[in-house]
Amino acid sequence: MLPFKLIYSDEYYLPIGQHVFPAEKYRRVHRQLIESGIADRSDFVTPQPASDQDILLVHTPHYVEKLKAGTLSAREEMQLEIPYSPELVHAFWLAAGGSILAAQHALKNGVALNIGGGFHHAFPDHGEGFCMINDVAVAIRRMQRDSKIRTAMTIDCDVHHGNGTAAIFAGTRTVSEPLPSSGPAGLGRKPLMRGTHAGDVFTISLHQENNYPAQKPPSSIDIDLPDGITDDDYLAWLDNALSSGLRQFTPDLLCYIAGADPYREDQLGGLALTIEGLKRRDELVFRVAKAQSVPVMVTYAGGYARKVEDTVTIHCNTVEAAGEVFAPRPSLP
Ligand SMILES: [Zn+2]
């Protein structure tokens, strides 16, 4: 049994038919986690859909109304890049509920994983790039509303820039609290790292520069990676970004968006990480979170490997990595 919880529902499946997004990956990850012995059935908890009130902490009433009434325009549905249905709306409300539950369990146990979510391309007033609702942003705002946390940091390792998350938290400064005193001075001089300021949520995105989305609204730290970057360089940049972020900002919760698409066999990505490199990436994030005593919640985001089983393995490895860092086996005498 794992010393942390995995949040999962069979209803995470996205009813989008034949699509480059392998909607069946959630069920396959769930099955493989159990069959491989990485997790027990008792490690899983089932989420409830987020309430409309939760969704409205991030999204505009007009957008939420359109989703519920099924009145997106053809252009809006095209931008979403997945076919609208009321069942799809349910799946996104459920993913957001799953991320809320993951945040709650992470605050209790130090770490928790949502076996879904990570829909980082959703903006307050529209969805795009297969993302309807920004579940991570909803979870952060809900934890803040419940006074469970004051600050949060997102570390987005999907191959695509976290544009929705960056836009949602851009320039959000708490009114009652002073701004962080240490600014991101010096970051701008590094070739790949861009930095702006942070308010109560500090956003970090490591992504392939030459990829969707064309417009990348500034995160607190953006690492614009060149095409074809391999394991060691990627891990050095991740280490760099995490240490830089944590020098500037003290989060009450770390939200790790563990996209499987920096993988070298990904159909929508142009980086060249191996499956082993991606597991080392997960371990690095978990080790840093543990060393700094920051609770970490995980979401899965994208993964479009030519072979779906590779995406499934990468996602399962994230759970295994969490197990190795947070429940290390006792060393032999
Ligand atoms: Zn992606």
Side-chain angles (χ1 to χ4, degrees):
M1 205 171 103
L2 294 166
F4 51 82
K5 289 299 175 192
L6 307 173
I7 318 303
Y8 172 75
S9 165
D10 282 340
E11 294 172 38
Y12 277 175
Y13 177 79
L14 302 175
I16 54 178
Q18 274 293 329
H19 196 282
V20 68
F21 190 100
E24 75 277 19
K25 74 175 184 178
Y26 305 118
R27 288 177 188 175
R28 290 183 59 165
V29 169
H30 175 247
R31 197 170 60 221
Q32 189 163 314
L33 284 170
I34 292 168
E35 286 175 0
S36 66
I38 296 172
D40 271 359
R41 282 185 192 283
S42 60
D43 295 324
F44 292 89
V45 288
T46 308
Q48 294 299 312
S51 67
D52 292 353
Q53 202 187 4
D54 294 332
I55 300 291
L56 289 165
L57 293 169
V58 169
H59 294 280
T60 64
H62 188 50
Y63 178 50
V64 171
E65 268 164 36
K66 282 191 281 190
L67 291 175
K68 296 191 66 125
T71 53
L72 292 178
S73 69
R75 196 188 144 274
E76 286 171 318
E77 197 177 335
M78 205 160 69
Q79 198 175 17
L80 198 54
E81 295 188 84
I82 42 177
Y84 175 89
S85 66
E87 293 74 28
L88 188 67
V89 173
H90 173 77
F92 277 99
W93 255 245
L94 188 61
S99 289
I100 291 170
L101 196 55
Q104 289 166 334
H105 280 281
L107 293 171
K108 215 181 297 173
N109 299 325
V111 61
L113 294 88
N114 187 6
I115 307 300
F119 297 110
H120 58 160
H121 301 311
F123 286 72
D125 63 350
H126 75 276
E128 58 176 75
F130 320 149
C131 301
M132 182 183 278
I133 292 295
N134 198 309
D135 53 287
V136 173
V138 169
I140 291 171
R141 290 300 188 220
R142 170 68 191 273
M143 292 308 101
Q144 289 178 323
R145 197 207 65 192
D146 293 349
S147 301
K148 295 272 172 38
I149 63 169
R150 192 179 68 79
T151 58
M153 177 180 282
T154 60
I155 175 77
D156 189 335
C157 292
D158 190 274
V159 79
H160 303 103
H161 178 257
N163 55 345
T165 314
I168 288 165
F169 296 119
T172 55
R173 295 159 187 260
T174 47
V175 179
S176 56
E177 299 288 337
L179 292 169
S181 54
S182 55
L187 287 178
R189 287 196 292 277
K190 291 181 180 146
L192 303 171
M193 217 187 227
R194 291 185 278 124
T196 56
H197 74 284
D200 57 355
V201 180
F202 192 101
T203 55
I204 304 176
S205 178
L206 270 85
H207 48 268
Q208 183 189 5
E209 182 175 24
N210 179 29
N211 202 329
Y212 168 89
Q215 297 293 324
K216 298 175 175 63
S219 312
S220 307
I221 295 177
D222 279 305
I223 311 284
D224 298 323
L225 298 167
D227 296 359
I229 201 168
T230 50
D231 293 345
D232 287 347
D233 285 347
Y234 183 96
L235 292 170
W237 277 110
L238 174 59
D239 197 16
N240 200 334
L242 276 170
S243 356
S244 175
L246 289 166
R247 268 197 308 274
Q248 297 173 52
F249 191 84
T250 308
D252 298 326
L253 175 68
L254 185 64
C255 304
Y256 174 34
I257 294 139
D261 49 12
Y263 179 44
R264 63 184 178 188
E265 296 293 327
D266 198 87
Q267 300 174 84
L268 301 185
L271 302 184
L273 275 75
T274 63
I275 290 181
E276 298 71 41
L278 287 159
K279 190 174 176 202
R280 284 165 61 205
R281 172 196 72 168
D282 299 335
E283 287 165 1
L284 174 59
V285 174
F286 293 137
R287 274 206 211 95
V288 168
K290 191 181 178 190
Q292 305 267 337
S293 305
V294 182
V296 56
M297 63 166 276
V298 182
T299 54
Y300 273 171
Y304 316 92
R306 283 175 189 85
K307 296 183 196 153
V308 180
E309 55 263 39
D310 286 351
T311 297
V312 170
T313 296
I314 293 164
H315 285 323
C316 288
N317 284 349
T318 306
V319 178
E320 194 170 36
E324 286 164 8
V325 172
F326 288 94
R329 290 200 190 94
S331 54
L332 295 168

